[in-house]
Amino acid sequence: MLVVGDVVTDVVARHRGPLAPGTDTVAAVRTVPGGAGANVACWAVHEGCADVRLLGRVGRDAAVWHERELRASGVRPLLVTDPTTPTGTVICLVDGGASAERTFLTDSGASLRLAPDDWSPALLDGVARLHLSGYLFFSAPSRALVSVVLESTRTRGVPVSLDPASAGFLTDLGVDRFLELCAGVDVLLPSRDEACLLTGLPNPADAAAELSRHFPLVVAKLGGDGALVARSGSVRAHVPALRATPRDTTGAGDAFTGAFLASLLAGAGPQEAARAGCAAGAMAVERVGGRPPTEDSRRGEEAAPVR
């Protein structure tokens, strides 16, 4: 599997209670590797996909660290080092309460400078499925890359999945433009909010069913309510979530996507793959950061790059 998407540095700040403007709020702060595309790739390996490659763009400031972290997770990094723009950084403000809900402050940095010149059709050699991070749709260079990639996959007959990534950025881009740009995608994996935004429908089941009139397979991720699998204008299954005690919901949707796609590649049907996705999502919310555990993380975090 080849993932094309973002690689960023996450600074996760877990705080209890409301933020206190103008003064200090006590928080537990950690710097960890992240990015929706990179997270998906790592979770796909964790689910058992033996060959996962990641095309992304990082700055010189953290290129070595990110490549090392990806390799530690079993991902084959195909990272382009940007000579002028630093690696993207996301500040993840995580409510330390029961929901562990997060708010992102996003500086996409080099990740959205991934461009057609970074692509070669040879990157599809040996690839059975390609996955696009929706963050690629939110800058002109990476939108141009998406068009080139989709043309290459059509020529090769490689199926493509897409996670829309951000309801906030989708609103800025425009729903019609987004849907036009992702023509040819065969699996869409929106969150609840993204599915409702893309259709204008308030009910996620109705939204998933409507989206499946435009995409062959739609899997709507509903967080604690599980996932919906829709085809040909109707919801075919509702897969329940697994019980979990959330610490940080950052990357839970990426975990679902990575495990879902790995299961599809292993021969599972969509409903079975969605169950694997829900299991990965439950594991993800009980960890800080958006990646699965590695041997290094079990022994203790390696030093992150100084920002």
Side-chain angles (χ1 to χ4, degrees):
M1 179 164 71
L2 173 62
V3 178
V4 183
D6 46 320
V7 182
V8 305
T9 300
D10 283 347
V11 180
V12 182
R14 299 176 64 241
H15 59 93
R16 286 196 174 275
L19 296 174
T23 187
D24 296 306
T25 300
V26 174
V29 181
R30 282 179 56 192
T31 300
V32 295
N39 294 344
V40 167
C42 292
W43 282 100
V45 172
H46 189 268
E47 187 62 23
C49 190
D51 184 358
V52 180
R53 312 164 195 179
L54 173 70
L55 176 64
R57 194 173 183 98
V58 294
R60 288 175 175 168
D61 57 323
V64 172
W65 181 64
H66 276 293
E67 180 158 336
R68 184 175 68 237
E69 291 294 317
L70 288 164
R71 290 191 184 279
S73 292
V75 174
R76 191 194 311 182
L78 307 171
L79 299 184
V80 179
T81 301
D82 193 294
T84 59
T85 304
T87 304
T89 301
V90 176
I91 308 298
C92 310
L93 304 177
V94 180
D95 183 349
S99 68
E101 194 51 78
R102 76 282 190 276
T103 300
F104 295 150
L105 303 176
T106 301
D107 177 356
S108 296
S111 66
L112 293 190
R113 288 170 57 85
L114 200 63
D117 286 347
D118 300 321
W119 176 256
S120 166
L123 291 171
L124 292 175
D125 290 351
V127 170
R129 173 170 288 283
L130 182 137
H131 177 72
L132 295 171
S133 167
Y135 283 105
L136 295 171
F137 288 74
F138 305 132
S139 78
S142 53
R143 280 196 297 272
L145 171 71
V146 167
S147 296
V148 172
V149 170
L150 289 175
E151 179 59 32
S152 292
T153 56
R154 279 192 290 270
T155 300
R156 293 283 193 101
V158 175
V160 180
S161 56
L162 168 66
D163 186 327
S166 169
F169 286 159
L170 273 176
T171 300
D172 294 339
L173 177 66
V175 167
D176 290 342
R177 191 175 186 196
F178 176 83
L179 292 173
E180 179 183 351
L181 289 167
C182 61
V185 167
D186 73 299
V187 179
L188 187 72
L189 295 126
S191 69
R192 181 202 310 264
D193 290 346
E194 292 154 7
C196 292
L197 175 63
L198 288 170
T199 59
L201 299 171
N203 183 286
D206 293 340
E210 178 60 27
L211 285 170
S212 72
R213 300 180 190 276
H214 305 280
F215 300 90
L217 176 63
V218 173
V219 182
K221 299 173 287 186
L222 309 181
D225 292 326
L228 300 170
V229 178
R231 283 185 182 275
S232 303
S234 66
V235 172
R236 304 301 178 88
H238 180 191
V239 178
L242 276 65
R243 296 187 65 179
T245 303
R247 294 182 66 205
D248 175 12
T249 57
T250 304
D254 304 331
F256 180 103
T257 295
F260 176 86
L261 295 174
S263 296
L264 278 190
L265 278 174
Q271 188 170 348
E272 181 183 351
R275 283 195 289 269
C278 286
M283 182 185 300
V285 300
E286 294 188 328
R287 295 179 49 76
V288 174
R291 302 276 179 91
T294 65
E295 289 303 317
D296 285 344
S297 67
R298 293 187 185 98
R299 290 193 297 265
E301 298 292 333
E302 292 190 36
V306 176
R307 305 297 299 174

